[in-house]
Amino acid sequence: MRLGPHTRVTALVTSNSYSSKLFTFNYTVYISTFLSLTFICMKMHPFEVNQHQCQCPDSEERHPPTILFNILSRRHYSNSNSSVATAADRRGQYLVPKICHCDQRRTVCLKDPEGVCQAASAVLIKTIRFMTGLPSFRYLPQCDQLALLHNSWVPLFVLGLAQDNIEFEVTDSPATSILKRILLNTSDRGFEMEEPAMPTLARVHKLKACLHRLRSLDLSHKEYAYIKGALLFNPDVPGLQTPAFIEGLQQEAHRALHEVVVTLHPQDQGRLTRILLSTSSLLTIPHSLISELFFRPLLGQADLFQLMREILSLGTVTSDPSIESQRSKRCQ
């Protein structure tokens, strides 16, 4: 696909002079530094929580099963498909769900879901509008747009939360009643009902730590914009039709970010490094945490990414039929 010069974010440096070569060398060093810091940050501060063994005391010792629970949860040993009963089952004991209070597994939800979800929806729409507002993004093949959207919407959304100073508090998720668990339990029929992965307190704490680091940098609007551009145009996303062009856009975003940082903070030589470290941690935030915490209370079981695709398609309609034809052919 031949892409016109009007799709560039800024004009590329094409001079073969000594200053141009020196600029290219320095710029390559900044890109290499960013990628190295990203790898180090993901190794040193992984967002995924390690599955430590729960240290909570046995809930059976603290909350003995009630008579109603014992009656409803009685195991039927006459089931021909069940295996040989354990010694505990032969003594008439029953399985009691264990309540975990560790931060690693303690599930939480928004304390004010109505207000926070509305603010989060506004941030998500702004994020997609930011993408569609870039000519270089609009004229990419549609399949490349969707791939970049799927890869970058979470870090861009978190940047939007920090930029709009969205605050939120969480509380313990309401536990499913024992009666509901028993009545919906289908393990005796050979399968288990799947429940969505709920946000844990540990992951929410790490998300808030990322937001705190971003806000402490006191980023300007231009810095936010170029950081978003650098995260959006990721040439390493699998399945891209135009990775070389997207790599050029990412380089332009990094170059522009460096120029803005040097211009606004000439005395702070370590600011760019702190920005790169803070933004690299955004790449480790799980999609499930954002979707379940901020959008599940509002959308229910609806597909969030499908909704984003529809919003994206509404914002990328072009009057040039030839461009639409090229997009459809590339994505077939």
Side-chain angles (χ1 to χ4, degrees), residues 41-42 47 151 154-160 162 207 210-211 213-214 227 231 275-287:
C41 182
M42 294 178 68
F47 198 91
N151 178 76
V154 167
L156 266 62
F157 172 80
V158 177
L159 281 171
L207 173 60
C210 291
L211 291 172
R213 286 194 296 269
L214 290 172
I227 291 172
L231 292 174
I275 290 177
L276 296 179
L277 284 173
S278 298
T279 55
S280 63
S281 63
L282 302 177
L283 302 176
T284 63
I285 299 178
H287 288 203

Side-chain angles (χ1 to χ4, degrees), residues 6 139 316-327:
H6 61 283
Y139 294 111
T316 56
V317 176
T318 177
S319 58
D320 190 343
S322 62
I323 295 178
E324 291 296 335
S325 176
Q326 292 176 3
R327 289 176 179 172

Side-chain angles (χ1 to χ4, degrees), residues 141-165:
Q142 187 178 14
C143 46
D144 282 5
Q145 293 181 17
L146 294 177
L148 294 178
L149 171 65
H150 185 269
N151 178 76
S152 64
W153 77 268
V154 167
L156 266 62
F157 172 80
V158 177
L159 281 171
L161 292 180
Q163 187 175 11
D164 290 354
N165 199 27

Side-chain angles (χ1 to χ4, degrees), residues 27-213:
Y27 180 61
T28 304
V29 172
Y30 281 116
I31 296 177
S32 302
T33 303
F34 173 75
L35 295 177
S36 300
L37 290 174
T38 300
F39 177 79
I40 294 173
C41 182
M42 294 178 68
K43 287 293 185 181
M44 295 179 60
H45 305 285
F47 198 91
E48 294 295 333
V49 179
N50 295 329
Q51 297 297 326
H52 300 293
Q53 185 176 2
C54 178
Q55 302 297 327
C56 293
D58 196 334
S59 60
E60 184 176 2
E61 297 177 0
R62 293 180 285 109
H63 301 287
T66 62
I67 297 177
L68 176 61
F69 176 82
N70 288 337
I71 295 175
L72 294 176
S73 62
R74 181 180 298 276
R75 294 184 179 273
H76 301 282
Y77 302 110
S78 59
N79 190 345
S80 59
N81 296 328
S82 61
S83 59
V84 179
T86 63
D89 290 332
R90 295 189 188 99
R91 292 194 300 268
Q93 298 179 1
Y94 309 103
L95 182 62
V96 180
K98 187 175 182 180
I99 303 175
C100 180
H101 295 276
C102 295
D103 288 355
Q104 306 289 348
R105 301 180 182 180
R106 180 178 168 188
T107 59
V108 294
C109 60
L110 292 173
K111 185 175 293 185
D112 178 24
E114 182 177 357
V116 176
C117 287
Q118 289 181 358
S121 300
V123 171
L124 182 62
I125 293 176
K126 289 181 181 179
T127 299
I128 299 178
R129 285 180 178 174
F130 168 81
M131 300 179 187
T132 58
L134 299 174
S136 51
F137 180 84
R138 286 202 305 269
Y139 294 111
L140 287 174
Q142 187 178 14
C143 46
D144 282 5
Q145 293 181 17
L146 294 177
L148 294 178
L149 171 65
H150 185 269
N151 178 76
S152 64
W153 77 268
V154 167
L156 266 62
F157 172 80
V158 177
L159 281 171
L161 292 180
Q163 187 175 11
D164 290 354
N165 199 27
I166 303 299
E167 299 285 353
F168 63 93
E169 298 296 334
V170 296
T171 185
D172 291 335
S173 299
T176 305
S177 65
I178 295 178
L179 179 60
K180 182 177 180 180
R181 289 182 180 180
I182 296 171
L183 295 178
L184 295 180
N185 184 17
T186 56
S187 58
D188 290 339
R189 295 195 294 271
F191 60 91
E192 295 283 349
M193 295 184 65
E194 296 184 358
E195 295 183 359
M198 298 296 295
T200 62
L201 186 60
R203 286 185 171 182
V204 171
H205 283 167
K206 290 182 178 291
L207 173 60
K208 286 195 170 187
C210 291
L211 291 172
H212 176 72
R213 286 194 296 269

